[in-house]
Amino acid sequence: MTVGLVCLAAVLLLAFLRVPLGIALLAVSVAGISAVNSFGAALTMIPLTLTEAVFSYDLAVVPLFILMGDVLSRSGISHDLFRAANAFLGSVRGGLALATMVTCGGFSAVCGSSFATAATMSKVAYPSMKKYGYSDRLASATIAAGGTLGILIPPSIILVIYGILTQQNIGELFIAGVLPGLLGLALYMLAIALVAWWKPEDAPRGERVSAQERWRSLGGVWPFLVLFGLIFGGLYLGWFTPTEAGGVGAGGALAVATLQRRLSWRRYHEVLLATALTSVMLYTVLFGAMLFSQLISFSGLADGLLELVKSAGVSPMGSLLAILAVFLVLGCVMDAMAIILIFVPLFAPTIVAQGFDLIWFGIIVVVLTEIGLITPPIGMNVFVLKANLPQVPVATIFRGLVPFIAVDIVRLAVLVAFPSISLALVHLMR
């Protein structure tokens, strides 16, 4: 256990020093396994773990959904989504912010990345909100908060990684993320409406458009709606596995982009290259995480944590709240991927032993990391937004995020108190 604790501290230190996560996990895992067993055992486990990762059927879903997201995001779907949402919501007070939030939810389902959603929407929606007199506080906070939906609304790469680490059904994780994701979107829109009511000068009305223009605006998003309806309808009805759904999504996205002539051959090359680079990066990180999970198992750290909880006489809910507090604090200072890869293998055995569902726990963990992305002192989404909007002070963005953090805490409490919200569609699916 001492070796396990030292290795855990070493990975955290390297992560804070911004050492690439995959390299940090690999180096520490090899050193830790060598200390617990032998250097020969560590060298033997490297090819075995690598083979397991590379030939995993479930892991094949990662490059497929990355390809789908890259194709759709580079084909201008964000502009089409914003145009349609603005046509229906823009004329009400705070309507542009509401349209931005809806677009963030839709774009999240395309790219599966909080950072990409925040960066893209800062270019698509922020200029429009400033044109109509929105305050920097509301405009920037709306984009930063909306970006967090990218790691929960399926298809989410974070949920794929969580499913592989905990050996849970990825399709069920995707389905479980739907209602909490929609709940988060609804609560964010409620926060915008309350801000617009409390401070109307921060959220002016936009231009009213005709009914004909509203319906015309949907012309650019119908392929997106059909494609995602097919993917999640197929998953829910059991027509295909998550990996097959990834193939349907990637193939459908390529077909839509080709038929609508949205991508040039040069852009196709850029998409394929970006997909390959991102996939290799994620495979490397996941390979390191799988080796680190073996280290935690060998060192007895996870078992020791479980014994500590049992000997302390802490109730299941008490131990759960303590674990959630750890994730919440870490989310304020660490990247979501790092938190999942390092701490889920450590806490998962305790969660199972306390009688909690790992599918539900995965959704709770992702919601916690969402909150961390917009919480001081190091809300990663805030600094991504700052890089794209250098004229907006970081303090202004954090002040604007207060209502969104408040409704996020409400959502977290509701999801913890009522697990059926996350698991209802899963139970119907089984």
Side-chain angles (χ1 to χ4, degrees), residues 147-164:
T148 65
L149 297 171
I151 59 173
L152 180 59
I153 295 180
S156 164
I157 299 302
I158 289 286
L159 286 178
V160 173
I161 300 301
Y162 176 90
I164 292 170

Side-chain angles (χ1 to χ4, degrees), residues 46-124:
I46 290 175
L48 292 176
T49 307
L50 178 60
T51 302
E52 180 184 356
V54 171
F55 291 101
S56 169
Y57 178 74
D58 290 335
L59 195 54
V61 73
V62 172
L64 292 172
F65 278 128
I66 291 174
L67 176 59
M68 180 187 70
D70 279 347
V71 169
L72 290 178
S73 61
R74 290 173 185 259
S75 63
I77 187 67
S78 58
H79 291 83
D80 291 337
L81 285 169
F82 183 70
R83 190 179 303 113
N86 186 39
F88 282 87
L89 298 170
S91 60
V92 303
R93 185 169 297 282
L96 276 174
L98 293 172
T100 299
M101 192 60 70
V102 171
T103 307
C104 284
F107 190 73
S108 297
V110 169
C111 67
S113 166
S114 293
F115 299 157
T117 301
T120 301
M121 295 311 299
S122 68
K123 299 180 178 67
V124 173

